[in-house]
Each structure stands twice: as C-alpha cells, then as structure tokens.
C-alpha cells in the first residue's frame, strides 16, 4: 500500500516539477544500489561467519602435572576443523617425553581428512593420515597406503572432546585406523578399549569432555579440563 502511495505522489510531483523529480529519482536509484550491495556483503559475512572454541587440559600422573593439551574447534560454514596439540614430560623407569599433533576436518558432517603425528623421546612413533577419496578413504601410514571402505566417517577420536557420544556406538581411531566400540559405563561416562590392551574413560558435563582417565600397561594418568 505504502509503495503505491509513494508512486502516485512521485507521478504527480513529476508532472509539476519534472527536473527536480528526475534528480530525486536518480538519488533513489543510487541509494537502492548501495543498499543492495550492503545486503550482499552482509549476506556473505553471515555465510562465512566462523566460530572458534579453545579448550585447555592438564595431564596429571600420581597427582602431579606432567603435561598439557590444547584443543581447538573452528566452525566456518559447513566445515569444522578440530586440532589438538599435547606435550608430556614424566618419568616411567626412565625420562619420557612425548609431543603430538592431531587434526581432523569435517565437511557437511563427514570426515574428509585426519592426521596424527607423534614423537617420543625425539623419535617419530606415528605419522598417519586418513583422506576421503570419493566414497571411500585412503589410509596413509608413513610410506604405506591402504583403502578403507567404511564411508562415511561421522565421529572420530577428536570429536570425543566436544561432542558426547550419545548417538554413537563406535568411533574411528586415527591412530589404529579402525573403528572401536564405545562402551557406556554410566550417565555421561564412556570407555574405549584399544587393540593394544590399553583403554581410556571419558567423562562429560553439558556435552563437553571434562575428564579422561588413561589406563596404560605401564602407567595411569588423567586429563582434566582447566576451569
């Protein structure tokens, strides 16, 4: 209704003041173009708006701090990138140091890439990658490659930190490059047994992992979220 009234008023004004009406019309057209460009920019900004979350964890053994973990989640559009870096320095019979970097990329909720790199006492112990290739995955383990047909992967080990496995009964292990069973122990409490005989227990608050209990054949430790 309002646009129609404005249109009729402009027609009447144009008949009475043709030159001024043309100037006003030109000004309106320019404003409309500017408004259109602003809307496009706003739309582009909204579409690419990213959210980043960083979590810091402390690794403890026998009550003493022996390491730390920095975990980050970046969501931009349909892509989610998870990264984790850890460093441990403790003594298990002898001085033991370990550093690790892990990364996972999800596109549209499907894992398209993951990598894990670990060094212990200066020696590379793991350098593995998993890459989506069509409707399957290619697994890289140093200079060896294999094909994994379990497509799509929707949940891997890094996902455990920001997404409680309420709807998942298995998880993809980037280290062992296979699916592992998730055992529910109690409410917000889960356990994963690894092929090497070791295991981890995960505890959650509001969907976020706040504690990990590590049971290794040579040691035990806990990972606790910093408050």
């Amino acid at each position: 209704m309002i646009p129609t009234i404005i249109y009729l008023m402009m027609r009447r004004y144009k008949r009475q003041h043709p030159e001024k009406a043309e100037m006003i019309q030109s000004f309106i057209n320019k404003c409309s173009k500017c408004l259109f460009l602003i809307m496009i920019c706003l739309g582009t900004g909204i579409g690419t708006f990213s959210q980043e979350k960083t979590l810091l964890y402390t690794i403890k053994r026998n009550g003493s701090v022996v390491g730390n973990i920095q975990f980050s989640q970046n969501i931009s559009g349909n892509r989610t990138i998870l990264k984790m870096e850890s460093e441990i320095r403790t003594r298990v019979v002898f001085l033991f140091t370990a550093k690790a970097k892990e990364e996972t990329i999800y596109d549209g909720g499907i894992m398209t890439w993951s990598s894990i790199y670990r060094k212990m006492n200066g020696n590379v112990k793991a350098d593995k990658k998993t890459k989506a290739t069509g409707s399957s995955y290619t697994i890289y383990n140093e200079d060896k490659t294999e094909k994994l047909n379990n497509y799509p992967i929707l949940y891997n080990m890094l996902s455990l930190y920001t997404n409680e496995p309420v709807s998942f009964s298995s998880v993809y292990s980037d280290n062992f490059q296979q699916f592992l069973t998730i055992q529910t122990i109690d409410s917000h409490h889960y356990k994963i047994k690894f092929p090497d005989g070791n295991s981890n227990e995960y505890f959650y608050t509001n969907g976020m992992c706040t504690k990990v209990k590590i049971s290794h054949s040579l040691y035990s430790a806990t990972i606790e979220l910093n408050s």
Side-chain angles (χ1 to χ4, degrees):
M1 184 66 181
I2 293 176
T4 303
I5 295 173
I6 294 173
Y7 174 74
L8 293 174
M9 291 176 64
M10 283 298 297
R11 283 189 62 182
R12 185 181 302 172
Y13 188 84
K14 191 172 184 179
R15 286 196 299 267
Q16 298 174 354
H17 309 281
E19 293 183 1
K20 290 184 178 181
E22 187 175 347
M23 291 175 63
I24 293 172
Q25 186 64 51
S26 177
F27 177 77
I28 292 173
N29 291 339
K30 289 180 179 179
C31 288
S32 298
K33 290 179 181 179
C34 290
L35 182 60
F36 178 71
L37 290 173
I38 290 171
M39 292 300 292
I40 290 177
C41 291
L42 285 174
T44 303
I46 292 171
T48 57
F49 179 74
S50 62
Q51 294 177 314
E52 186 165 4
K53 178 189 297 183
T54 300
L55 303 175
L56 300 176
Y57 293 86
T58 298
I59 305 171
K60 295 181 179 180
R61 179 172 177 266
N62 297 330
S64 300
V65 176
V66 296
N68 58 78
I69 291 176
Q70 179 172 309
F71 179 94
S72 67
Q73 177 189 58
N74 185 286
I75 301 175
S76 180
N78 291 324
R79 170 165 286 195
T80 299
I81 300 177
L82 307 176
K83 293 183 179 181
M84 185 169 75
E85 293 189 23
S86 61
E87 184 172 357
I88 301 172
R89 183 181 177 85
T90 186
R91 185 172 293 278
V92 183
V93 182
F94 55 88
L95 184 62
F96 170 85
T97 60
K99 293 184 179 181
K101 290 184 179 182
E102 300 181 43
E103 181 179 9
T104 300
I105 298 176
Y106 285 93
D107 288 302
I110 297 174
M111 193 186 88
T112 55
W113 168 265
S114 78
S115 64
I116 179 170
Y117 182 82
R118 289 178 180 170
K119 292 182 73 173
M120 294 185 183
N121 293 336
N123 299 315
V124 177
K125 292 297 181 180
D127 186 7
K128 304 176 182 180
K129 302 173 181 66
T130 303
K131 180 182 179 181
T133 51
S135 58
S136 63
Y137 290 93
T138 300
I139 293 174
Y140 302 88
N141 187 355
E142 296 181 356
D143 57 346
K144 300 177 183 178
T145 60
E146 293 182 38
K147 189 174 182 179
L148 180 68
N149 292 316
N150 295 72
Y151 184 94
I153 295 174
L154 305 177
Y155 197 74
N156 79 322
M157 294 298 292
L158 285 189
S159 300
L160 284 163
Y161 285 85
T162 54
N163 186 7
E164 182 178 351
V166 177
S167 304
F168 296 95
S169 58
S170 63
V171 58
Y172 177 71
S173 169
D174 312 86
N175 183 38
F176 293 101
Q177 297 180 314
Q178 66 183 75
F179 283 87
L180 305 176
T181 300
I182 300 174
Q183 180 184 356
T184 301
I185 303 298
D186 201 349
S187 179
H188 312 301
H189 179 189
Y190 307 85
K191 185 175 183 177
I192 297 174
K193 294 182 179 179
F194 301 108
D196 58 5
N198 302 315
S199 65
N200 283 359
E201 293 182 42
Y202 297 82
F203 301 81
Y204 293 82
T205 302
N206 298 324
M208 185 180 300
C209 182
T210 54
K211 181 180 177 181
V212 182
K213 182 180 177 182
I214 302 172
S215 297
H216 194 276
S217 58
L218 297 177
Y219 63 89
S220 61
T222 59
I223 300 172
E224 299 176 2
L225 179 65
N226 295 353
S227 58

